[in-house]
């Protein structure tokens, strides 16, 4: 069959190797619903402005609906010579209704068609990611009350730093995913502009109504410059960036929980249905879901890179290179979606190893900074307090005891400002209770944030 894109100018048929090289149907077939919806809106607009009769529009619409259900049921065979989903749908229409079908592509090009289809697809896919991010936020939030009494070490440089409430950790991830959701909302506004009607590159001489198709397709507005629109893939880059950032957040979390589930940490137990065994070592329960979350994030970041490189040297306007935009974009959406779907049940189903955590909590001098701030509160200049506490910690290390077990006289030898009330701030529990600042791990601050999120995620 001759491709409908080959006009009378061609005297040779397409080399088969080019057909196989140039096809995009193997990946853009997933745009068929958007393509058909776009075509129906386009045909309706054409009939409203007098470029199609009402009967022609009805016939086109009804036939497109039939074609959609055929594709739904895998009944429309895909062929490389028809290149992409746009030509498959158009050809199926022409096969059924002949010349009326040949009118559908009036005032339209595949350049605006593909851009409109992908914008509709991305818009929906972003909403799907947003909903899954919210589910994951809820999973973290669902842990907060039950884990409220558990204190964990906070690390900097992966060295024990200060004590925090476990929910402070969970809220940290809720915040990260909230920023991701805000980025989605922001990017969605630019995705949700309609390209249809810019035609190939310069617009059309025919009296179309772009606002009408845009409204019909649920877009917030129409793009303003046909040259720009024909070439624009910024909305894909932004989406790929948003997804790469989500993947980065998930990867960091996965890395943390992989560490936490080792014998060395023994902080958390991951539900066994998300772990796998070893074919040779019978004792192994491996956190593969988390490892693959970390591993697959590399692909999502690579996809962003691919898209950046794809567009960086393109002169205006549409260039066929742009066909290569879909595989990396689809892959990023699919991968992040799968990661999020697995992350939520792991987060809500994992068990903190409370006793193991508590038994080692007083090691590593998590309360040293609290002691320093206690001294600052008594009037000792920060630099001096910092130095003195360092010396006190050094002595505690030599004796192999926590700060709370040092005798008062020893503390006073270092700093005469210290009195017995200092012990109310030593030890992880006292230390956590001593925090006061907004956004800190102070129990009432954490409670405030949990309540804020409970309201927000209701
Ligand atoms: N298959 C093409 C793509 O996905 C459709 C657009 C082709 N446009 C063109 N002028 N050849 O980008």
């Amino acid at each position: 069959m001759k491709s409908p894109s080959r006009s009378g100018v061609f005297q040779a048929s397409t080399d088969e190797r080019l057909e196989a090289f140039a096809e995009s149907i193997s990946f853009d077939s997933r745009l068929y619903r958007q393509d058909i919806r776009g075509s129906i809106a386009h045909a309706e607009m054409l009939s409203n402005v007098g470029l199609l009769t009402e009967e022609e529009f009805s016939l086109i619409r009804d036939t497109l609906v039939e074609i959609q259900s055929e594709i739904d049921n895998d009944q429309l065979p895909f062929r490389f010579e028809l290149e992409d989903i746009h030509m498959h749908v158009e050809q199926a229409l022409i096969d059924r209704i002949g010349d009326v079908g040949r009118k559908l592509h009036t005032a339209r090009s595949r350049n605006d068609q593909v851009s409109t289809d992908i914008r509709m697809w991305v818009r929906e896919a972003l909403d799907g990611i947003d909903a899954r991010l919210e589910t994951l936020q809820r999973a973290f939030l669902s842990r907060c009350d039950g884990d409220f009494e558990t204190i964990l070490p906070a690390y900097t440089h992966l060295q024990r730093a200060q004590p925090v409430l476990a929910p402070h950790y969970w809220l940290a991830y809720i915040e990260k995913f909230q920023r991701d959701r805000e980025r989605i909302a922001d990017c969605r506004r630019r995705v949700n502009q309609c390209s249809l009607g810019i035609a190939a590159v310069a617009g059309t001489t025919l009296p179309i109504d772009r606002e009408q198709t845009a409204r019909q397709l649920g877009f917030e507005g129409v793009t303003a410059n046909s040259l720009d629109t024909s070439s624009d893939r910024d909305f894909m880059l932004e989406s790929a960036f948003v997804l790469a950032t989500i993947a980065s957040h998930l990867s960091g979390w996965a890395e943390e929980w992989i560490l936490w589930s080792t014998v060395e940490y023994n902080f958390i137990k991951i539900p066994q249905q998300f772990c796998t065994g070893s074919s040779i070592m019978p004792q192994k329960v491996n956190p593969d879901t988390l490892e693959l979350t970390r591993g697959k994030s590399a692909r999502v970041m690579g996809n962003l890179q691919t898209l950046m490189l794809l567009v960086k040297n393109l002169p205006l306007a549409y260039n066929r290179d742009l066909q290569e935009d879909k595989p990396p974009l689809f892959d990023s959406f699919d991968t992040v979606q799968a990661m999020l779907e697995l992350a939520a049940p792991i987060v809500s189903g994992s068990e903190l190893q409370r006793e193991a955590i508590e038994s080692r909590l007083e090691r590593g001098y998590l309360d040293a900074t609290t002691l320093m701030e206690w001294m600052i509160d008594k009037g000792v200049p920060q630099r001096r307090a910092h130095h003195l506490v360092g010396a006190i910690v050094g002595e505690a290390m030599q004796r192999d005891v926590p700060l709370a077990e040092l005798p008062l006289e020893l503390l006073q030898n270092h700093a005469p400002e210290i009195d017995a009330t200092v012990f109310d701030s030593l030890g992880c529990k006292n230390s956590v209770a001593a925090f006061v600042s907004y956004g800190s791990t102070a129990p009432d601050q954490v409670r405030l944030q949990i309540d804020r999120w409970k309201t927000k995620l209701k």
Side-chain angles (χ1 to χ4, degrees):
M1 177 200 292
K2 200 173 147 204
S3 157
S5 76
R6 287 174 94 76
S7 73
V9 80
F10 282 91
Q11 282 165 14
S13 54
T14 321
D15 189 290
E16 268 179 34
R17 287 165 297 190
L18 173 58
E19 278 177 358
F21 188 63
E23 64 85 21
S24 56
I25 186 64
S26 57
F27 49 86
D28 66 19
S29 59
R30 65 195 285 179
L31 296 174
Y32 76 96
R33 288 177 160 274
Q34 289 75 16
D35 196 70
I36 287 172
R37 186 176 169 201
S39 286
I40 292 175
H42 180 67
E44 183 168 8
M45 180 278 291
L46 290 178
S47 87
N48 287 339
V49 300
L51 288 165
L52 286 179
T53 65
E54 266 180 41
E55 295 69 45
E56 286 171 332
F57 162 59
S58 302
L59 182 60
I60 289 175
R61 181 198 52 213
D62 296 347
T63 314
L64 285 171
V65 169
E66 278 167 35
I67 293 170
Q68 173 159 318
S69 69
E70 271 179 44
I71 304 180
D72 281 341
N73 298 313
D74 292 322
Q75 282 164 353
L76 191 84
F78 294 138
R79 294 186 287 256
F80 282 179
E81 68 265 30
L82 282 178
E83 189 182 311
D84 55 27
I85 189 60
H86 323 294
M87 292 217 278
H88 275 82
V89 171
E90 187 186 354
Q91 189 61 50
L93 186 71
I94 293 169
D95 289 346
R96 283 160 186 73
I97 61 174
D99 269 350
V100 176
R102 289 192 180 88
K103 293 186 177 183
L104 173 64
H105 212 49
T106 303
R108 189 178 76 170
S109 151
R110 278 182 298 156
N111 297 351
D112 56 345
Q113 204 179 343
V114 70
S115 165
T116 306
D117 291 1
I118 195 83
R119 282 169 184 270
M120 285 194 273
W121 189 91
V122 168
R123 176 174 81 180
E124 199 179 315
L126 285 174
D127 293 344
I129 296 292
D130 183 66
R132 286 170 179 90
L133 281 170
E134 184 175 337
T135 304
L136 181 55
Q137 286 180 309
R138 284 179 201 283
F140 276 111
L141 190 61
S142 74
R143 302 198 62 99
C144 287
D145 288 334
D147 294 339
F148 198 86
E149 301 300 325
T150 304
I151 296 174
L152 285 166
Y155 296 84
T156 61
H157 314 266
L158 205 54
Q159 303 288 324
R160 286 194 166 204
Q162 292 186 281
V164 294
L165 293 178
H168 203 50
Y169 261 99
W170 314 151
L171 291 163
Y173 285 106
I174 294 177
E175 295 286 344
K176 288 184 195 300
F177 294 123
Q178 186 62 22
R179 288 195 298 278
D180 292 330
R181 295 183 65 194
E182 286 166 18
R183 271 183 282 272
I184 287 179
D186 182 46
C187 151
R188 195 188 190 283
R189 291 189 296 116
R190 282 176 294 276
V191 171
N192 204 21
Q193 296 293 318
C194 192
S195 334
L196 203 60
I198 64 109
V201 64
T204 172
T205 59
L206 296 164
I208 60 167
D209 181 350
R210 291 190 61 200
E211 294 284 349
Q212 188 191 322
T213 31
R215 254 195 324 273
Q216 187 81 8
L217 296 173
F219 285 102
E220 284 165 41
V222 297
T223 60
N225 179 294
S226 62
L227 259 177
D228 170 45
T229 306
S230 172
S231 66
D232 176 26
R233 292 297 185 271
D234 294 4
F235 65 96
M236 287 199 194
L237 299 179
E238 287 187 56
S239 305
F241 171 75
V242 169
L243 293 165
T245 307
I246 297 169
S248 163
H249 289 153
L250 288 167
S251 182
W253 160 76
E255 165 72 3
E256 185 168 275
W257 282 30
I258 289 167
L259 290 170
W260 283 12
S261 63
T262 59
V263 170
E264 285 72 15
Y265 274 82
N266 194 19
F267 281 7
I268 206 152
K269 215 187 206 125
I270 292 155
Q272 284 200 351
Q273 57 272 41
F274 300 107
C275 297
T276 64
S278 153
S279 56
I280 178 168
M281 297 169 284
Q283 86 284 14
K284 295 298 292 290
V285 181
N286 296 324
D288 297 48
T289 314
L290 297 177
E291 294 166 81
L292 285 167
T293 296
R294 189 177 55 188
K296 284 173 193 270
S297 72
R299 284 228 313 267
V300 179
M301 291 167 199
N303 289 336
L304 171 61
Q305 177 95 327
T306 301
L307 286 167
M308 297 294 300
L309 293 175
L310 181 68
V311 298
K312 81 177 180 65
N313 280 345
L314 298 183
L316 295 178
Y318 178 85
N319 290 275
R320 187 62 181 274
D321 313 46
L322 292 176
Q323 179 173 297
E324 289 291 311
D325 58 6
K326 283 167 238 33
L329 187 78
F330 289 152
D331 183 61
S332 283
F333 273 108
D334 293 344
T335 307
V336 170
Q337 174 175 326
M339 287 175 172
L340 288 169
E341 279 174 5
L342 285 158
I346 291 180
V347 166
S348 50
S350 292
E351 279 171 44
L352 276 181
Q353 303 303 96
R354 296 175 208 287
E355 280 172 29
I357 293 165
E358 210 185 319
S359 68
R360 291 164 295 151
L361 197 61
E362 298 301 341
R363 307 187 59 172
Y365 304 98
L366 293 161
D367 50 355
T369 308
T370 315
L371 173 57
M372 180 191 75
E373 292 189 335
W374 187 92
M375 286 167 66
I376 292 172
D377 198 46
K378 295 284 177 284
V380 183
Q382 191 272 345
R383 277 293 158 227
R384 205 166 82 80
H386 180 261
H387 182 81
L388 290 175
V389 175
I392 293 170
V393 169
E395 206 153 332
M397 279 171 161
Q398 264 179 8
R399 299 176 175 222
D400 197 21
V401 291
L403 296 180
E405 284 175 28
L406 288 172
L408 180 61
E409 304 76 64
L410 185 147
L411 295 172
Q412 285 169 333
N413 285 346
H414 284 275
E417 296 86 349
I418 296 180
D419 60 43
T421 60
V422 75
F423 292 106
D424 296 341
S425 295
L426 296 181
C428 287
K429 209 169 167 186
N430 289 336
S431 191
V432 163
F435 282 90
V436 292
S437 59
Y438 179 79
S440 74
T441 193
D444 56 350
Q445 286 294 326
V446 173
R447 176 49 63 201
L448 191 83
Q449 296 296 333
I450 294 172
D451 291 344
R452 179 170 74 87
W453 281 107
K454 279 185 180 167
T455 314
K456 208 168 153 84
L457 294 174
K458 209 160 18 219

